[in-house]
């Protein structure tokens, strides 16, 4: 009976902020375990837990030298854990930053800062890219165009040559001509302008990627995984037009479907024909 009384007296002292505090910690711990569950970090975590048990045992059995050494290790554990789990921490922060709810809020806020000139330039870049992709598809010319969105890619642009010019089919043709010095790299389009060319992109770490995909497609997937960029790829071997967004590759675009998708992704617009088709399908489902 005393146990229940003591337990009840403890429960009565718990306030609403304590419940919120506990739930927040529980969610963080759950998120960490979910993040590292299928990665090499699990083995590292097991190693840290083993060292913690060893430290407790060394303290209990008065093993002074071992206890002192492990204590020094755990005192510097914040820095050590940051170094060891750097890839996982970076991935977690990227996932938070790429959260769709946050992105919707910032997009809505940033729309007030977008001028008519910006929209006109983006529309022109979409039309020029779609026309170029169609021409390259027929001539089997490889191309890699990266459309910046909220995440800026200045570090990637620094690996290439800054161009900062208005887009055009002729300009894309000169850059991706197979004997041109910049044709092997990616071109970055920022605010509707060709910002940089000949840039080196990080390759995807996804082990489940189709082994038939070449370096160009793997680079497109890599940058789309690490940012919110929209990446346009034209295959040199097959002429297939593809888009990489969020680590997902979508293939077999035509000029019109590509233009429609780019409008949707870059300007949050859906072509009128596509809207009509969706409304038609919704009406059929209701029937």
């Amino acid at each position: 009976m005393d146990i229940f009384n003591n337990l009840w007296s403890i429960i009565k002292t718990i306030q609403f902020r304590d419940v919120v505090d506990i739930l927040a910690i529980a969610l963080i711990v759950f998120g960490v375990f979910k993040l590292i569950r299928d990665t090499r970090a699990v083995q590292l975590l097991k190693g840290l837990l083993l060292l913690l048990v060893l430290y407790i045992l060394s303290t209990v059995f008065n093993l002074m030298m071992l206890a002192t050494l492990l204590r020094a290790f755990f005192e510097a554990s914040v820095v050590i854990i940051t170094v060891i789990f750097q890839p996982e921490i970076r991935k977690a922060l990227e996932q938070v930053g790429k959260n769709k709810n946050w992105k919707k809020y910032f997009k809505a806020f940033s729309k007030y800062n977008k001028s008519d000139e910006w929209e006109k330039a983006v529309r022109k870049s979409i039309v020029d890219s779609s026309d170029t992709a169609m021409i390259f598809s027929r001539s089997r010319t490889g191309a890699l165009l990266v459309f910046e969105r909220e995440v800026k890619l200045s570090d990637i642009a620094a690996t290439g040559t800054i161009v900062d010019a208005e887009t055009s089919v002729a300009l894309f043709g000169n850059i991706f001509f197979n004997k041109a010095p910049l044709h092997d790299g990616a071109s970055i389009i920022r605010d509707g302008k060709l910002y940089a060319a000949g840039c080196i992109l990080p390759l995807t770490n996804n082990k489940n990627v189709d082994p038939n995909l070449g370096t160009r497609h793997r680079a497109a997937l890599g940058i789309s995984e690490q940012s919110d960029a929209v990446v346009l790829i034209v295959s040199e071997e097959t002429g297939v037009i593809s888009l990489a967004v969020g680590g997902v590759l979508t293939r077999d675009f035509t000029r019109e479907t590509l233009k429609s998708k780019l409008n949707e992704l870059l300007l949050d617009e859906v072509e009128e024909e596509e809207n009509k088709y969706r409304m038609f399908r919704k009406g059929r489902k209701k029937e």
Side-chain angles (χ1 to χ4, degrees):
M1 198 67 179
D2 291 336
I3 295 174
F4 289 108
N5 289 332
N6 292 334
L7 185 61
W8 178 246
S9 63
I10 293 172
I11 292 173
K12 287 194 296 183
T13 62
I14 298 176
Q15 299 180 9
F16 176 73
R17 63 185 179 186
D18 299 321
V19 176
V20 174
D21 195 18
I22 293 169
L23 287 175
I25 295 297
L27 285 173
I28 292 172
V29 172
F30 174 75
V32 169
F33 275 106
K34 186 179 178 182
L35 181 68
I36 68 173
R37 182 177 53 192
D38 298 322
T39 66
R40 292 176 298 171
V42 173
Q43 303 303 321
L44 295 172
L45 187 61
K46 289 178 181 177
L48 288 174
L49 291 175
L50 181 61
L51 288 177
L52 180 61
V53 172
L54 193 60
Y55 172 68
I56 293 171
L57 291 175
S58 64
T59 304
V60 171
F61 292 104
N62 203 25
L63 303 176
M64 298 303 297
M65 186 174 291
L66 182 59
T68 303
L69 182 63
L70 290 173
R71 190 184 304 115
F73 172 82
F74 285 116
E75 285 175 355
S77 60
V78 174
V79 176
I80 293 171
I81 289 173
T82 302
V83 173
I84 292 175
F85 293 102
Q86 186 268 338
E88 284 73 23
I89 293 172
R90 178 174 177 173
K91 182 180 177 182
L93 292 175
E94 284 177 351
Q95 287 180 353
V96 172
K98 289 163 70 175
N99 184 279
K100 290 183 179 180
N101 294 325
W102 285 105
K103 285 173 71 175
K104 284 179 183 178
Y105 171 78
F106 283 116
K107 276 186 179 179
F109 180 77
S110 62
K111 279 182 182 178
Y112 295 103
N113 299 322
K114 304 297 186 183
S115 63
D116 292 337
E117 289 76 13
W118 176 88
E119 185 177 332
K120 185 178 178 181
V122 172
R123 288 188 186 280
K124 184 177 184 302
S125 69
I126 290 173
V127 173
D128 291 338
S129 301
S130 301
D131 291 341
T132 301
M134 204 66 238
I135 295 170
F136 284 1
S137 177
R138 291 170 183 161
S139 63
R140 297 291 194 272
T141 302
L144 193 54
L145 291 174
V146 182
F147 293 86
E148 270 188 355
R149 289 201 282 184
E150 299 301 320
V151 178
K152 298 302 178 185
L153 302 174
S154 297
D155 55 332
I156 301 296
T159 64
T161 301
I162 302 300
V163 180
D164 197 20
E166 289 188 7
T167 61
S168 69
V169 175
L171 180 58
F172 288 139
N174 285 330
I175 288 175
F176 290 107
F177 176 62
N178 62 2
K179 292 184 180 178
L182 301 176
H183 84 281
D184 268 340
S187 291
I188 296 176
I189 297 177
R190 172 182 291 179
D191 296 330
K193 289 188 175 182
L194 180 60
Y195 179 67
C199 304
I200 300 172
L201 304 182
L203 299 180
T204 179
N205 293 319
N206 188 351
K207 305 298 182 183
N208 299 318
V209 171
D210 185 348
N212 295 319
L213 293 178
T215 306
R216 187 175 280 113
H217 289 82
R218 292 176 182 272
L221 286 170
I223 193 63
S224 73
E225 289 168 352
Q226 296 184 19
S227 71
D228 62 348
V230 177
V231 190
L232 168 60
I233 316 104
V234 181
S235 173
E236 188 173 357
E237 290 76 21
T238 64
V240 172
I241 301 171
S242 308
L243 283 179
V245 184
V248 178
L249 189 69
T250 309
R251 313 187 73 182
D252 297 316
F253 282 92
T254 64
R255 181 193 178 279
E256 292 306 318
T257 57
L258 177 63
K259 181 172 170 287
S260 174
K261 193 63 178 177
L262 288 175
N263 273 314
E264 180 184 341
L265 292 168
L266 301 176
L267 294 170
D268 293 329
E269 290 183 355
V270 182
E271 292 292 323
E272 187 177 351
E273 291 80 6
E274 192 174 345
N275 263 332
K276 288 179 180 178
Y277 176 68
R278 288 181 179 177
M279 292 297 293
F280 172 74
R281 290 194 64 184
K282 284 182 182 179
R284 288 290 299 272
K285 285 181 180 179
K286 287 179 181 179
E287 291 176 4

